[in-house]
Each structure stands twice: as structure tokens, then as C-alpha cells.
Amino acid sequence: MKKIIAILVCMIVIAPAWSNDNSQSDSNLIEDADITVSVTAMRSHQPNNQIPASITVITAEQLRHRTIQEALRLYAGIDMRSFSGTSAVSQPSVRGFTETGHGRVLILFDGIRLNNPDMSPLNWLTIPGAGEIERIEVVRGGASSLYGDHAVAAVVNIIPRKPEEGVSVSAGVIGGSNSYLEKSFTLSGANDLLSFSISAIDSRTDGWRDRTGTENTGASVSISSSFAERGSASLFLSAGSQMYEMPGGLTKEDFKDNPRQAIHKDDKAEIRFLFMQAQGKWEFTERLSLSLTAGYNSKNTNTDMTSWGTFTDTNLDSITAGISFTGEFPLLLREVRMTTGIDFIRNDLDAKRYFDVNREIKAPGGGKVNKTNFAFFSRGELPVTERLFFSASGRFDYALYSCNLDTINENKRYSIFSYGAGLNFMLSDNGKVYVRYDRVFRFPFLDELIIYSGFLDDAINKDLKPEKGHSFDLGVEYRFGKRAVLGVNLFLLLMDGEIAWNNQLEQNKNLSKTIRYGVESFISFTPVKNFSLRGTYNFTIAKFRDGENKGNQIPIVPVHRFTVVPELSFFNMLRIYSEISYSASFFRGGDESNTQDKIDGYLLYNMGIVLNIPAGKSLITIFGKVRNIANKKYAEYVWGNFYYPGSGREVLVGVSFSL
């Protein structure tokens, strides 16, 4: 198998030398990675090369035949971890944040936040399929001074696709290993005034590992319109259900003997969701505009933890609203760009616990808890010269937590002012050098602050404080003609009061001070038109800088991680690509003293092929993919003595039709 992999990789690398194909690749990554592209990462449209931050834009082409989670890992260097080994419930982790790492990565859908207020995983099904996404903007580094809670290590903004003129229809089916079957359908259209899109998806799999099956069904509708030449409005609605099984962790011996086996035979969760968002924009003049956003997210989760003897029904309702003004004003012979606004977020969680699967015998614990977050923010940008830009931002957040449990009825309040500044110098039109600082923070999750599990006395952890930190970034991005783009970002993150579980106290506590520093880099290289290479490399050191574990590494943090994606195209019809990813060894979760053996790192190979067949005005696409070709046995997450295996070899084959 290793010889086969080597031959395939060599074919991809040397093929440009003998190919006579002079057509333009349908995946020209250098154009996709154009650093002059306009992005919304800083809450207003700006050219990337004027923003003092490392930003990756993942294009629709790079999302084709990949999940959003796969694209984030391959092109943005974001680690995705899952307790079950399935991507449906995988969660993002960056810059050495592992336990509840998804709480330090803010996920937005067209500017509306999707992060849950508790420790439950993000429901990716809320977002339409990758084929309905125009691009994904990933901002590395802290952005609390703009976005507040969760924006500690990165911000991910997922932008939906805008329908093209006329009416188009697409449908597809994918099948493969472990009884995987996915069916999708999209109908969209647009004219000068109105555009719409209707999509539906159904996917099911038994999972590579026993008891890792998932069933996902969802549908979405979007409508957008322009009016009076100055206004625009859009409405998005998605609804569906998700079921996933939870196999539990394996001992080291069980993992080595058979990583596919499951410990928990009946544990599972079922989710029903409804997500709505509305946006509007009005341009008073060419220099002054108003934006309005509103969102509603309802998630009902039924969790059967038969292995623990607990059965929980959780209803979570989240409301978001925002208003912002963006304007340009003269100052010292320069035009200052300002964005100022207000955010409102309300989360209501109602948990009910039972002793039996039929929900007939009520158990202790549960009740109603909520969090209300109100914030005011402002960001300004001053062009000091034609190439030098200075920016500064500030945000005041107020959060109120309330609980109405069987034994307590109390409140907890927090208020935080965060701020940031950046300096960006444009290296002609081909690059930039920047430095950036942000005072970051994260409010506690509802179930970090409030104990409503029923296993302990219900209470508010009054001593728990928000975690705070200082985030520094220094980087450069440069485009070498039309052939290559290189970006290197150095970061330093000093955290104080990071929240983590304490086994001895059996509650969440603020840790002593920690430090994280390293390098994040990416490259896009197109030596010839029909061949491209894109990759990322992350070097991360995460350590305790105070307390009894001072100088020790933070567990579950690999020092080295990289991805490589070579791609070869022929006549704009055939694409062959490979996905290579590596993650270094790490200390297991809970080993703050670094006294136990490290968990082995792993190198994974994927291979795919895509064939486009024109048929009149239609396009038929046939594709195939093999994940983990070498069938590598690895654990992507280990806590204490429990191993959570990654998936072995999987084969996928699909066909899609578009008109």
C-alpha cells in the first residue's frame, strides 16, 4: 500500500512536465487566493491587503466535493476533532485550545453567530451544504474587540452563494463505505430585483467505527432582493434533524486490539432545529450606510446516555439582533472609515432529566437557565499614507446569567471592555506587512458557570470568572506574480484565567496563566496552468506559565501540523487531487504534569478524482474519493485512559447533475 501511495503522489507531482494541456484549470488557486479580494471579516467590506490580519478565503471551487469541516482543516489549518470520529459532530480547535476549543473559535453564517452558549457541539447541519456556499473567510487571531464572546483565537464567516441570472437546478447522490448515502437537490434563480434558492439534503451512514452512525436531514430557503437602488434585504431559513451515536472511549488495549469496537452500545442524541436570519442594508449616500441583522436559532436535543443511566431533553432558543453604521469622514486630509453598532444576544436553555428512556421518571437536576448579552462596538480605520493603514476598535460587553432550578434561583453579572489596534503596510498591490493586538475574552458556557446536571448540588459557580488574554500577531503576505502566494503569521497569546474542568474539585475553575506562541503559514503555488499546490503549516507551543505545572505543555496540543493539497487538471474536464495531512504527537488530556507517554502523531493520505462531462447546457460530474488510503490506525483525541479513534479507510463515489 505504501508503494501505491508513493506512485500516485509522484504521478501528481511530475504530471505537469509531460502534460500538453494548456487550458485554464478550473481550480486556479492563485486567483482564488488573491490578497486584494474584498472580505467582510472586519464587519464591513474591505480589501484583504488593507486589513492587519492573516485571512484565508476558501472558495466555492475548493469546497466542491468536500465538507465545510474538511475545507477548514485543509485550507485554513483549523484542527477538527470528534469524539465519535465522524465529521457531523466535529468541532474546531486552533492555537493550542483543545478542551472546549470550539468556545474560542467564533463561527458566523453571513455575519450571524452560530456558537452555542453551552458546551454542546455546533450543529453544522444548520448551514446549507458546501455546494451552496460562495466562500468562507477565516480570520486568524483574536477579534473580541469587534465580535466579543468566543472570538479568542479565530473567526470563521461562512458566506452563502448568490444565485446567478436565470433558473438553475442541481442534484446529486453520493454513496460509499459503511452504508454511506447522501442525496441533495437545489433549485435557484435570479433576476434584476429578486433571487432565491431552495435546497434539501439527506445523508446517512453507519460510521466506520461501531456505533458511530449518523442521520442528517435538512432543507433551506433563501430569498434576497434589491430595491430603490440603495437598499437590499435577505431572508434565510433552514430546518431539519440530526441523529448521531456515541460509542464512548476505548482503553489503550482495546484501541490496539480493535479500534472499531464500541464501549457504549445504546448512547445517542437526536436534534431537531430551526434557524432563521434576516438582513437589511440601506445606503444613505456613497459614504454612509446602515445594516440590520436578526437571527433566531431553536435547537431541541434528546440525549440518551444509557451507559450513565441519564436521559436528558434540552431546548435551546437563541435570538440575535444587531444594528451598525458604516461611514467615511474627512480627518486631517484623509478619509476615516468608521463602523459602529450594537449587538444583542439572548439564550434560553431548558433542560429536563429522567431516569428512563421513555421519560416517565424525572431525575434530579435540570431547570431553566439563560444568558443575555448586550454590547456596543466601534472600529475606525485611518489611512496614514496611501500604503499605511492604522485601525483601532473597542467593544463593551455586558452579560447577565440567570437560573431557575429546583434548589436555587440566582443571577450572575459580568462586564468587560475589550480593545484592539493594528497597523498594516501594503507592499505595492501584491502583499502586506502587519502587526495587530487584541484584548480577548470569553464568557463561561452556561454549563461551566451553572451546575444543573443533578449529579452534584445545583448551584452557580460564583468564583468563576471570564477568561481574558492578550493576543499579538505579526505577519506578512505576498504574491509572487501569478504563480505563488505565501503568508506567514507569528502569534503570541497570553491567557489569564482560562476555564477548564478540575477533577479534584469536580467543577470548572479558572486556570493559572498560560502562554501560546507559534507560526501559522500557508502557500499557494501554480507552476503551470494545469497544476496547483496549496498547503498550510502550523507550529504551536502551548504551556502553563504559572502554578504547579509551570513550564509544562498543555495537553492535546500537537506542536506541528501541516496539510498539502496537490491538484492536477486536464482540459478543464478531469481533476486529480490528493490531500495529505499530518498531526504530531501530544500529551493526553488531563496530563498537565506531562508524566505519561505521549500519544503518537499520524500522517493521513486522501485521493480524489473528478470528471466533468458537458451535455449541452447541462453538466454531469462524476467523482470518487478514498480517505485514509493507508488505513492508518490513529487516535485524534485521548483523555485520560480513553482513546477516541479516527476513521480508517473509506471510499466515496458520487454523481451530480446541474442545469
Side-chain angles (χ1 to χ4, degrees), residues 3 14 35 53 108 148 286 290 317 323 341 343 351 399 407 511 540 588 606:
K3 292 182 179 179
I14 68 174
I35 57 178
L108 306 171
E286 293 182 354
L290 166 69
D317 293 319
I323 180 173
D343 288 336
T407 56
L511 295 178
T540 305
R588 67 187 65 209
N606 303 338

Side-chain angles (χ1 to χ4, degrees), residues 39-44 51 55 137-139 146-147 155 157:
V39 297
T40 59
M42 293 301 176
R43 304 196 72 146
S44 63
I51 299 175
I55 299 175
E137 300 170 358
V138 181
V139 185
L146 268 181
Y147 291 101
V155 176
N157 192 16

